[in-house]
Amino acid sequence: MPVEPKAAASVILVRPGHASPLEIYLIRRARGMRFLGGFYAFPGGKVDLADWRPDALGRTRGLDPATAAARLGPADLPVPALAYWVTAVRELFEETGLLLAVDGAGRPVDPRAPGLAERLEAHRTALVRGERSLTAILGAEGWLADLSGLSYLAHFVTPPSSAIRFSARFFLCPLPATQAPRLILEETSEGFWVAPASAYARFRAGEWPMAEPAEYGMRYLGQFESWGALWAHHRTGGARFDGIIDRLDATHYRFAWPPADPTGD
């Protein structure tokens, strides 16, 4: 019998490119990981119970529960819709050290403030070890998880043939002005910025193994002619494509989505 997929969330960090319209932050999962070990992917993971408790959902700003549910579309969700956004914030913090949060006055958390980078790393380490929840960290600092920069992109479900399955929601996120992701070797062996078209070419050449979400994410993002065109197309916050694909079941796939409209319509 197929394994029931677990709710999950993943984040595609995006920044303006130098020699390309934009760049995305790609990680390589450590080879010893049970799920997709050695594959190139985006930061992310399963939705934890602590991500959808009322206190976690209440310590957010930038998105309300009804809007979150509308953006995910009609579905029988195993957790509150807003929990996927909370998981995205937590996983990004755990895997890259980048925290999407604001203080009580709405100012973004800035690791450049005296002593804050060290405090953030202590929080992140405690979070990974299970000693402290994201909600507890935010509460202790007087911060709120800032969901406003996370734009919903896609829903992918691991195929039934997999022994480990996820029903994952993918989000786009512009790189915050005062932060940068860093390589953290707990679950990843590489972390770097790359143009989507270049990453897709390496996948097609058999050099960079990717599961379908990364493969099709690269193809999708590679079609945009500019940074502005990407965000104009995503200004409504709705999903752009969905997928459930198993390469073991066929030899060729045609995966289609509506072409990007620079006006966002």
Side-chain angles (χ1 to χ4, degrees):
M1 294 293 293
V3 175
E4 187 69 21
K6 296 178 180 178
S10 193
V11 182
I12 308 174
L13 279 174
V14 190
R15 73 179 184 184
H18 300 291
S20 62
L22 51 91
E23 295 175 333
I24 55 91
Y25 188 73
L26 201 62
I27 64 171
R28 189 173 195 182
R29 295 172 59 82
R31 292 183 183 276
M33 298 288 289
R34 289 182 61 223
F35 184 72
L36 299 180
F39 275 54
Y40 290 86
F42 310 116
K46 68 181 181 66
V47 177
D48 288 343
L49 175 61
D51 296 335
W52 55 284
R53 287 175 174 157
D55 57 344
L57 301 181
R59 188 155 284 277
T60 63
R61 61 146 270 177
L63 188 68
D64 62 81
T67 302
R71 289 182 178 176
L72 295 189
D76 184 15
L77 300 176
V79 298
L82 201 63
Y84 291 95
W85 274 260
V86 174
T87 297
V89 171
R90 176 182 55 75
E91 287 286 344
L92 192 62
F93 185 40
E94 288 185 6
E95 295 190 8
T96 73
L98 191 154
L99 180 61
L100 303 176
V102 295
D103 63 17
R107 296 176 300 230
V109 169
D110 187 349
R112 300 173 299 180
L116 186 52
E118 293 78 8
R119 206 159 76 241
L120 280 169
E121 178 54 21
H123 283 317
R124 192 200 67 80
T125 301
L127 177 62
V128 171
R129 291 176 177 172
E131 300 167 355
R132 200 175 305 161
S133 68
L134 176 64
T135 305
I137 293 169
L138 296 172
E141 296 285 355
W143 298 337
L144 298 172
D146 186 9
L147 312 182
S148 62
L150 291 166
S151 179
Y152 181 46
L153 174 65
H155 178 207
F156 275 89
V157 181
T158 312
S161 59
S162 177
I164 301 175
R165 301 185 68 207
F166 295 98
S167 176
R169 307 286 173 161
F170 287 77
F171 299 88
L172 292 177
C173 181
L175 178 67
T178 63
Q179 299 190 62
R182 55 189 174 85
L183 176 60
I184 296 173
L185 296 174
E186 292 156 349
E187 297 183 359
T188 61
S189 60
E190 299 177 39
F192 53 90
W193 292 98
V194 63
S198 298
Y200 182 67
R202 300 292 291 269
F203 163 77
R204 292 283 296 179
E207 299 170 355
W208 289 3
M210 295 181 189
E212 284 76 9
E215 173 192 347
Y216 290 111
M218 297 302 96
R219 288 181 60 187
Y220 174 77
L221 292 171
Q223 71 177 312
F224 289 94
E225 298 179 353
S226 70
W227 175 257
L230 170 65
W231 296 113
H233 190 60
H234 282 268
R235 66 187 178 191
T236 60
R240 293 305 173 187
F241 55 88
D242 299 294
I244 175 167
I245 298 176
D246 189 341
R247 291 197 185 101
L248 299 178
D249 292 340
T251 57
H252 177 74
Y253 298 93
R254 183 174 299 278
F255 193 83
W257 48 73
D261 180 347
T263 67
D265 296 331

